[in-house]
Amino acid sequence: MTENTMSTEDRFTPDVTLRRNDAQHRYELLVGGKLAVQSFYQDLPGHIDFSHTETSPDFEGQGLGKVLAHFALDDVVATGKRIVPHCPFIAGYLRKHEGYEQFVDWPDSPAANGSGA
């Protein structure tokens, strides 16, 4: 499990925890020990395929999803795998933030579908 208590995306109080939960196949952002945001993925050979991201109602509109996306994408890059953004939220984040282009296989690309490059 990868865990981090700080992010460069936004400012936080020390009760925020970011982690990869391999058993549940999701990245998690917890506030005060309570699950605030989760981004689900499939761990495929050479790829992490993000399917969807959920924010608990109590934490909506606070920018926490962006923080989790930043952490999750950096973690995938660090593992040497490629990102497949089926999740609309993750796809939107990737379109707005530079630095991940060379690590992304868009769902309609041949590499993301298991053929081609």
Side-chain angles (χ1 to χ4, degrees):
M1 180 180 290
T2 300
E3 194 165 327
N4 189 354
T5 56
M6 296 191 65
S7 172
T8 58
E9 187 69 25
D10 284 332
R11 239 178 44 207
F12 281 119
T13 57
D15 63 349
V16 172
T17 302
L18 294 157
R19 66 185 180 196
R20 182 181 68 220
N21 182 334
D22 293 326
Q24 298 292 317
H25 303 284
R26 67 186 184 198
Y27 284 90
E28 302 170 336
L29 185 148
L30 294 91
V31 177
K34 185 175 179 184
L35 185 61
V37 186
Q38 52 191 332
S39 188
F40 294 88
Y41 65 87
Q42 274 191 298
D43 192 350
L44 303 170
H47 290 84
I48 296 292
D49 187 343
F50 289 93
S51 59
H52 68 285
T53 299
E54 298 173 0
T55 301
S56 298
D58 293 346
F59 298 99
E60 289 178 351
Q62 298 179 33
L64 298 174
K66 292 185 290 185
V67 174
L68 183 61
H70 180 81
F71 172 76
L73 296 171
D74 282 356
D75 187 66
V76 172
V77 169
T79 67
K81 292 193 172 196
R82 298 190 56 78
I83 300 161
V84 179
H86 278 102
C87 169
F89 182 80
I90 295 292
Y93 183 92
L94 287 166
R95 287 185 178 99
K96 293 177 186 174
H97 296 83
E98 295 181 4
Y100 297 104
E101 300 85 1
Q102 68 271 30
F103 305 107
V104 178
D105 289 332
W106 292 97
D108 56 353
S109 73
N113 295 319
S115 60

